[in-house]
Amino acid sequence: MRDLFIYNTLTRSKELFKPLNAPHVGMYVCGPTVYGDAHLGHARPAITFDILYRYLTHLGYKVRYVRNITDVGHLEHDADEGEDKIAKKARLEQLEPMEVVQHFTNRYHRDMEALNVLPPSIEPHASGHIIEQIQFVKKILDKGYAYESNGSIYFDVEKYAKDFHYGKLSGRNLEDIVTETRELDGQAEKKHSYDFALWKKAAPEHIMHWPSPWSEGFPGWHMECSAMGTKYLGEQFDIHGGGMDLMFPHHEAEIAQSCAALGHDSVHYWMHNNMITIAGKKMGKSYNNFITLEQFYTGQHPLLSKPFSGMVIRFFILQAHYRSTVDFSSEALEAAEKGLQRINEAYARLLKIQPAAASTIDVKGLRERCEEAMSDDLQSATVISHLFDSAKAINTVADGKATLTKEDLDELKDAWKTFAIDILGLRLEADNAAAAGQNVEAYKGAVDMLLNMRLEAKRNKDFATSDKIRNELTALGFSIKDGKDSFEWSL
């Protein structure tokens, strides 16, 4: 099994990945909050950790991948104050809260399918684990790191910081946190402004609430991941992932909660993807500059020049390393679309190459180079560059300027399927046709006839007819590549 090095945010270094119980791997990733449509910022962590999941599986690990659904609801101002957003939407639209949850959960799953993100092993809902969250709060209270105030339970950050290192994930110290903490309504309940809610007493108008030993209320935002992560992966597990915007306060609070309740860290490797920006500013709902995935698919947004498919979005995100910032523009997506088309065409041509008695071009080593890149902290952009280099060799052979033996051809096909399709998760020509239920052979006679008519028109310098045939076939989804007195096409 090849060694895998990943960047551990906790230690701020690239480390050799050593599972606690190989070949089994436990991985927890913060999933969506289902009170609105997913946007491009949500796509990046989904794709990043889908790639990790795929690559760990490729290396031979048995991965239990847990991705939660936050359906108790984020709060309007922060994790402690304000009206539950799911409850607010339910109230405004006169829906049951779980009706809102189900609607946006279904839409999220549809978006993940369009991005070819594999479903997790377990997808627990926060609302389905209230008992576990209450039990976790009890443990923290019993250890003396929390206190009750007016029916709510708050984490005592100052007391915890005397026994453990609070801020070790984000690199903040308690003095910085005190300075940065905003004054919000309801702070009088807390000992300190930076203490965070483990359980909140519900106001009379609050729709979503549950009984607890302290009050009718609901769990704090951070509690669900601590409770569900340890329930499904144990008190210690391998990987916890999410966007870097969750590092503080969410993941920092998770570490504190787990250490307080259990006496030790739960997570060995913390991994965070970087942000997607627009004109250098983070894309997100709080900045009101986000573009939903639905808007990408339809092209209905002022910043979009045209619709873009889920595969173009996936390819756009994979062209950068997951820890680097990606700046969005419609032009960048158009460039990604062209790059993906080059990959598509090369793979389609690769599948049509016939083996020869000898290889006159060197195509060996693609698998090794791609594995080396992926094992170096998931360098997806480097894998794509290797595929582009390989595409040049494929086109040389397909153009009749070189030959490959069956052994070299099979090795090349296997490497492309493994890395382009299985690991990068790109739906290429063969997959697209199968997924759409399209039988390319059914079109072969008709398309060949039209393209032969086009060749004849070109020989007669009837370029109007030639262009008309090409344009109409392209509009129907056919990709046409011209040669000298020849053609190739794919669907």
Side-chain angles (χ1 to χ4, degrees):
M1 188 178 288
R2 178 182 279 271
D3 287 342
L4 169 63
F5 290 86
I6 56 177
Y7 187 86
N8 189 349
T9 312
L10 188 63
T11 61
R12 292 165 179 75
S13 63
K14 203 180 291 185
E15 298 180 9
L16 175 64
F17 178 61
K18 293 182 179 179
L20 290 165
N21 185 30
H24 298 276
V25 172
M27 183 170 82
Y28 188 98
V29 174
C30 290
T33 53
V34 286
Y35 59 84
D37 283 329
H39 57 72
L40 189 60
H42 293 127
R44 193 170 195 193
I47 291 170
T48 295
F49 294 101
D50 180 60
I51 292 294
L52 178 59
Y53 181 30
R54 288 169 180 268
Y55 192 58
L56 287 169
T57 303
H58 165 75
L59 292 177
Y61 291 111
K62 300 180 184 300
V63 185
R64 177 177 288 176
Y65 176 17
V66 180
R67 186 183 68 206
N68 70 300
I69 295 286
T70 298
D71 58 355
V72 170
H74 270 300
L75 301 175
E76 282 293 305
H77 303 298
D78 74 347
D80 297 343
E81 309 298 335
E83 182 181 5
D84 183 306
K85 287 186 177 179
I86 290 176
K88 180 178 180 181
K89 187 170 182 66
R91 176 173 54 79
L92 293 175
E93 298 188 13
Q94 296 185 329
L95 300 170
E96 284 291 329
M98 284 302 147
E99 202 171 353
V100 177
V101 166
Q102 192 62 57
H103 171 76
F104 286 115
T105 300
N106 292 344
R107 290 174 72 90
Y108 178 76
H109 289 156
R110 179 207 62 189
D111 288 333
M112 294 303 101
E113 168 61 24
L115 296 170
N116 201 22
V117 169
L118 298 175
S121 313
I122 304 172
E123 191 174 60
H125 288 232
S127 62
H129 295 76
I130 301 299
I131 293 172
E132 289 85 352
Q133 293 178 74
I134 290 172
Q135 290 172 339
F136 213 95
V137 174
K138 285 181 179 179
K139 288 181 182 179
I140 297 172
L141 277 168
D142 291 344
K143 296 293 179 67
Y145 294 108
Y147 57 90
E148 182 178 355
S149 178
N150 193 30
S152 295
I153 307 297
Y154 293 98
F155 191 86
D156 193 332
V157 173
E158 190 170 277
K159 184 172 182 181
Y160 173 85
K162 292 176 181 177
D163 299 327
F164 298 94
H165 182 183
Y166 186 75
K168 63 182 180 180
L169 180 67
S170 61
R172 304 181 185 212
N173 57 48
L174 200 55
E175 290 73 25
D176 294 334
I177 295 167
V178 171
T179 302
E180 294 171 8
T181 301
R182 297 173 295 159
E183 288 297 329
L184 298 167
D185 293 339
Q187 293 283 15
E189 286 188 351
K190 305 178 185 180
K191 289 181 181 178
H192 308 288
S193 60
Y194 43 76
D195 293 345
F196 55 87
L198 303 178
W199 183 266
K200 281 290 291 181
K201 181 180 179 180
E205 66 274 11
H206 203 289
I207 300 175
M208 299 179 78
H209 54 83
W210 294 265
S212 78
W214 317 288
S215 64
E216 278 281 330
F218 51 94
W221 171 36
H222 315 305
M223 182 49 61
E224 65 186 77
C225 291
S226 290
M228 294 191 293
T230 53
K231 175 181 174 66
Y232 292 109
L233 299 174
E235 287 193 3
Q236 290 186 304
F237 56 92
D238 297 298
I239 299 169
H240 194 318
M244 68 176 297
D245 56 321
L246 297 179
M247 197 181 306
F248 185 89
H250 186 47
H251 290 162
E252 200 73 76
E254 277 192 63
I255 290 175
Q257 290 170 166
S258 297
C259 285
L262 308 173
H264 57 75
D265 286 337
S266 290
V267 180
H268 279 221
Y269 302 91
W270 284 91
M271 296 180 68
H272 294 87
N273 63 273
N274 213 321
M275 300 178 295
I276 293 180
T277 59
I278 296 181
K281 188 173 185 178
K282 177 193 170 186
M283 177 183 286
K285 291 184 178 179
S286 59
Y287 296 102
N288 199 32
N289 67 349
F290 64 94
I291 305 174
T292 68
L293 293 176
E294 177 70 20
Q295 288 171 320
F296 278 101
Y297 305 150
T298 62
Q300 299 300 308
H301 192 279
L303 293 177
L304 296 173
S305 60
K306 54 179 285 189
F308 294 98
S309 70
M311 278 303 94
V312 171
I313 294 170
R314 186 179 182 102
F315 192 73
F316 167 69
I317 288 172
L318 292 177
Q319 282 182 304
H321 187 254
Y322 76 91
R323 287 193 286 113
S324 65
T325 303
V326 175
D327 199 54
F328 158 82
S329 69
S330 194
E331 292 78 12
L333 275 173
E334 289 177 28
E337 187 173 50
K338 291 177 182 176
L340 179 59
Q341 184 58 32
R342 286 174 56 198
I343 294 291
N344 259 311
E345 290 173 355
Y347 185 63
R349 300 191 86 191
L350 171 62
L351 297 181
K352 294 178 182 177
I353 294 174
Q354 296 299 312
S359 293
T360 59
I361 190 171
D362 184 12
V363 295
K364 291 185 180 297
L366 177 61
R367 170 181 285 273
E368 289 73 19
R369 291 191 295 275
C370 289
E371 280 202 340
E372 182 179 358
M374 286 300 298
S375 294
D376 182 17
D377 196 29
L378 310 180
Q379 298 281 351
S380 60
T382 303
V383 173
I384 290 172
S385 72
H386 291 326
L387 292 174
F388 278 135
D389 289 342
S390 176
K392 296 175 185 176
I394 290 168
N395 289 330
T396 299
V397 176
D399 290 340
K401 298 175 182 176
T403 58
L404 291 173
T405 63
K406 185 178 185 304
E407 179 184 2
D408 285 348
L409 193 56
D410 288 347
E411 181 182 329
L412 198 56
K413 288 178 181 178
D414 182 65
W416 269 74
K417 183 182 184 306
T418 298
F419 287 93
I421 297 174
D422 297 342
I423 294 175
L424 293 187
L426 301 175
R427 288 185 176 129
L428 301 184
E429 290 296 339
D431 281 2
N432 286 340
Q438 295 165 331
N439 184 354
V440 175
E441 288 301 314
Y443 300 107
K444 190 175 188 329
V447 176
D448 283 349
M449 179 183 69
L450 286 168
L451 290 176
N452 278 316
M453 289 171 60
R454 179 170 176 265
L455 275 180
E456 186 64 26
K458 286 170 69 178
R459 291 190 193 103
N460 295 331
K461 298 186 178 181
D462 181 2
F463 299 116
T465 300
S466 170
D467 291 344
K468 180 178 174 61
I469 293 172
R470 181 188 182 95
N471 292 342
E472 292 194 5
L473 284 173
T474 300
L476 290 170
F478 292 91
S479 175
I480 301 162
K481 187 177 180 67
D482 288 324
K484 185 180 179 181
D485 292 325
S486 65
F487 56 81
E488 293 180 12
W489 63 268
S490 58
L491 183 59

